[in-house]
Amino acid sequence: MRTVDYSPFYRATVGFDRVFDLLDSVASQSGANGYPPYNIEKAGDNAYRIVMAVAGFAEAELNVTQKENELLVTGQAAPSEGQEEKQYLYRGIAGRNFERRFQLADHVKVTGAKLANGLLTIELQREIPEEKKPRAIPVQAGQPALTH
């Protein structure tokens, strides 16, 4: 169910329908349970970092995948072999399987991921192609502005 009415924006913009669809899909995305907790940091003008708390997961149990403009982070806890079922008096560390999706802007690429001290850090970089970067237009004097 949509809670924001985008119709005034549709009347005044052209070609932004993808942005409104993205906002709708993120708002209605399942997995909004908050697990695992994460931070999104701005590390520079074109650099970003996602830090996820993944206590109890080994490197082999985590998967980071980028497909076009979507980043998918999954955690599949490996079944413990040879260990009998543990009896917990209190279980505060979830350790359950998860899937977390992030929508990335155009030209944002994952440059690396590392796991240290129970935190998964994913480095992202916006790499704007040369043809998309601003360029100076030379102004010439003495030429007529319009010719018929």
Side-chain angles (χ1 to χ4, degrees):
M1 181 173 124
R2 187 191 310 186
T3 58
V4 178
D5 181 20
Y6 296 118
S7 56
F9 300 111
Y10 280 115
R11 289 191 301 258
T13 62
V14 176
F16 288 93
D17 50 322
R18 182 174 174 266
V19 173
F20 301 128
D21 292 343
L22 176 65
L23 290 172
D24 269 343
S25 71
V26 169
S28 66
Q29 203 175 59
S30 63
N33 62 0
Y35 180 78
Y38 63 92
N39 294 334
I40 300 176
E41 304 170 4
K42 184 165 180 143
D45 286 342
N46 290 311
Y48 302 90
R49 184 178 300 123
I50 298 172
V51 181
M52 299 180 76
V54 291
F57 283 89
E59 183 179 334
E61 298 171 328
L62 297 169
N63 188 21
V64 179
T65 307
Q66 180 180 3
K67 183 178 179 188
E68 296 178 10
N69 288 3
E70 183 176 72
L71 173 65
L72 175 64
V73 182
T74 57
Q76 290 286 122
S80 54
E81 296 178 23
Q83 293 183 353
E84 46 188 78
E85 187 63 30
K86 295 178 184 174
Q87 181 181 3
Y88 292 97
L89 298 178
Y90 172 77
R91 188 166 184 176
I93 301 172
R96 62 183 178 263
N97 296 341
F98 68 89
E99 179 179 286
R100 176 73 68 180
R101 294 178 186 273
F102 298 92
Q103 296 297 319
L104 304 178
D106 292 339
H107 312 298
V108 173
K109 305 289 184 225
V110 176
T111 59
K114 66 178 181 176
L115 178 64
N117 301 323
L119 296 175
L120 173 65
T121 303
I122 303 167
E123 301 288 340
L124 302 126
Q125 182 75 33
R126 180 184 298 134
E127 299 171 352
I128 302 171
E130 283 299 319
E131 63 270 8
K132 300 271 185 182
K133 290 183 180 177
R135 59 185 176 90
I137 309 298
V139 177
Q140 299 179 357
Q143 301 288 329
L146 295 174
T147 58
H148 294 278

